[in-house]
Amino acid sequence: MKRVKKYSASILLGFVMTMMSGLLMANDTVIIKGVGTWEYFTNYQKHEGPFWNQHIADVTDGRIVGEIKSHTELGMKGHEIMRLVKNGVFDFAFGLPGYVVPESEIFEGADLSSLVQNIGVQKQVANAYFPTLERAFAEKYNAKLMMLYPFPSQMIWCNSPIRNIDDLKGKRIRVFLATLGDFVEGVGAIPVSASFNDVPQALEKGIFDCAITGTMSAYTGKLYEVASYGYTLRVGWGLAFGAMNMDKWNLLSDELKALLQKEISLLNEKMWQETATEDAIALSCLADGPCAIGEVGNMTLVEPTKSDLMVRNKVAAEVILPRWAERCGPECAANWNRTVGKVLGLRAEAYAR
């Protein structure tokens, strides 16, 4: 009888321990702390924020819970974000190449100014350069690159008449990336670095004559109140990244890795599709409509002519690509030529010495 009691007690204890272990495993939630882009732009409002703050918990049944705030909410400038991801302060970050270029000019390569006018081609460029950036994020930041996505296309908004690319000569133009500065100098204008928050007031006061920013940010930022002209040459796409701390990634089970990768891929595709739509909506709203999202801006929008595009081609070949190749180095440029250059039919070569 005593043996039976001892045996029963062992079974009971084992059962209780198994139940407790299962309960602990069921409650083992992975929390991912994230930082996003600008809270006042639609990419964060419609995609980055909702994805981490709600969607990922829903699709994983709470096994992954995200907590994200924009870098503007956190009072951050951007350049420090990936270093904080590297150190594990954040687990995931959305950002722009300007955040990471100080570590290596290789990060500029998927969005060199003015080379791409079509969003479908820009997606091919992003796909071609993804493995290069994937390696760079791993080496520089101990991070896994998970997505490349565009902001609405970057164009030029001016407070004085613009009829063609030659009218940009001598103008002070706001930029936020080195490659944009190369374009501006290449057309004979003067680049001025400034944050987006300073753009409306600076245009109004004549601190600079034009500003480069995205189509939708130009509309939501009401640049039409201080600038009457838009030159619709696409000088960039504001191509952004989503990257995750590698140590955090490696903590996930294979199942959760696959699920997270799938959901981020769906998010990425949605953002590409919506950017194309937002471009058209923003341009219509900035001009004379129709505009379903607010008032019309009544700006005069000037499309680049064939002659303008020939000038752009010359600037790209003689200024933008050689300057970037010089900054990035011969190995970096050779890799670009094998990837992006092959898509675009272009070559990046430093100036002959």
Side-chain angles (χ1 to χ4, degrees):
M1 179 67 80
K2 288 182 179 179
R3 288 182 182 176
V4 173
K5 286 183 177 178
K6 286 180 180 179
Y7 187 68
S8 300
S10 299
I11 293 175
L12 181 61
L13 179 60
F15 178 74
V16 170
M17 290 180 69
T18 301
M19 290 291 291
M20 289 180 66
S21 175
L23 186 61
L24 287 171
M25 289 178 66
N27 291 331
D28 190 14
T29 297
V30 177
I31 297 175
I32 295 180
K33 299 171 293 180
V35 57
T37 56
W38 296 267
E39 63 181 317
Y40 39 78
F41 289 163
T42 53
N43 265 348
Y44 181 78
Q45 295 169 356
K46 297 175 70 172
H47 300 294
E48 300 168 19
F51 179 85
W52 283 114
N53 286 332
Q54 184 62 47
H55 178 75
I56 201 65
D58 291 343
V59 296
T60 63
D61 296 322
R63 287 178 291 168
I64 298 178
V65 173
E67 299 174 357
I68 190 172
K69 288 188 177 181
S70 67
H71 77 264
T72 40
E73 287 178 277
L74 295 169
M76 304 176 73
K77 297 296 184 184
H79 297 288
E80 70 271 43
I81 287 174
M82 281 309 298
R83 293 172 190 169
L84 294 173
V85 170
K86 180 178 181 178
N87 293 330
V89 177
F90 294 110
D91 302 313
F92 191 97
F94 294 103
L96 267 68
Y99 292 3
V100 289
V101 164
E103 300 292 340
S104 173
E105 284 75 11
I106 198 170
F107 292 107
E108 290 182 295
D111 194 15
L112 294 174
S113 183
S114 79
L115 301 188
V116 181
Q117 298 299 303
N118 178 278
I119 194 168
V121 176
Q122 181 58 41
K123 192 173 185 182
Q124 292 178 45
V125 166
N127 290 339
Y129 206 62
F130 192 98
T132 299
L133 293 181
E134 189 174 36
R135 289 191 299 271
F137 272 94
E139 292 169 4
K140 301 290 183 182
Y141 295 111
N142 186 39
K144 178 177 176 60
L145 178 64
M146 301 194 72
M147 59 188 295
L148 291 173
Y149 65 100
F151 275 68
S153 57
Q154 310 296 299
M155 296 182 181
I156 304 174
W157 317 96
C158 298
N159 57 16
S160 58
I162 297 291
R163 294 161 298 180
N164 53 53
I165 200 167
D166 290 335
D167 286 340
L168 297 174
K169 288 179 180 176
K171 294 192 182 299
R172 293 161 296 175
I173 302 177
R174 178 260 179 169
V175 301
F176 56 92
L177 294 172
T179 186
L180 295 175
D182 292 339
F183 169 82
V184 167
E185 290 184 343
V187 297
I190 304 160
V192 182
S193 183
S195 69
F196 179 78
N197 280 340
D198 297 328
V199 167
Q201 189 175 22
L203 278 171
E204 186 174 28
K205 291 185 175 181
I207 295 173
F208 42 74
D209 307 296
C210 307
I212 293 175
T213 192
T215 52
M216 187 57 77
S217 56
Y219 179 73
T220 58
K222 297 188 175 182
L223 293 197
Y224 53 84
E225 293 183 350
V226 292
S228 299
Y229 296 85
Y231 182 55
T232 61
L233 179 76
R234 288 182 166 96
V235 294
W237 289 90
L239 192 69
F241 63 81
M244 186 170 179
N245 175 278
M246 193 71 77
D247 296 333
K248 190 75 170 192
W249 169 258
N250 288 333
L251 288 177
L252 299 178
S253 67
D254 289 344
E255 180 192 0
L256 286 182
K257 284 179 181 176
L259 183 52
L260 181 57
Q261 187 76 69
K262 173 188 171 186
E263 291 300 324
I264 284 181
S265 296
L266 292 172
L267 173 70
N268 195 50
E269 187 61 31
K270 187 185 299 183
M271 292 169 91
W272 277 95
Q273 292 173 0
E274 190 154 331
T275 288
T277 303
E278 280 202 351
D279 248 2
I281 292 171
L283 288 172
S284 182
C285 289
L286 285 163
D288 54 4
C291 183
I293 60 174
E295 63 184 350
V296 295
N298 291 311
M299 296 182 84
T300 299
L301 300 185
V302 178
E303 294 185 10
T305 64
K306 289 183 179 179
S307 177
D308 288 347
L309 292 176
M310 289 177 65
V311 172
R312 185 281 312 264
N313 292 345
K314 183 178 174 66
V315 171
E318 297 181 2
V319 181
I320 294 167
L321 287 170
R323 285 189 181 183
W324 178 72
E326 188 78 25
R327 290 196 297 271
C328 203
E331 184 178 347
C332 174
N335 174 71
W336 189 92
N337 292 334
R338 291 191 300 268
T339 55
V340 177
K342 190 173 181 181
V343 172
L344 300 180
L346 296 171
R347 289 188 62 80
E349 295 177 340
Y351 299 111
R353 295 185 180 277

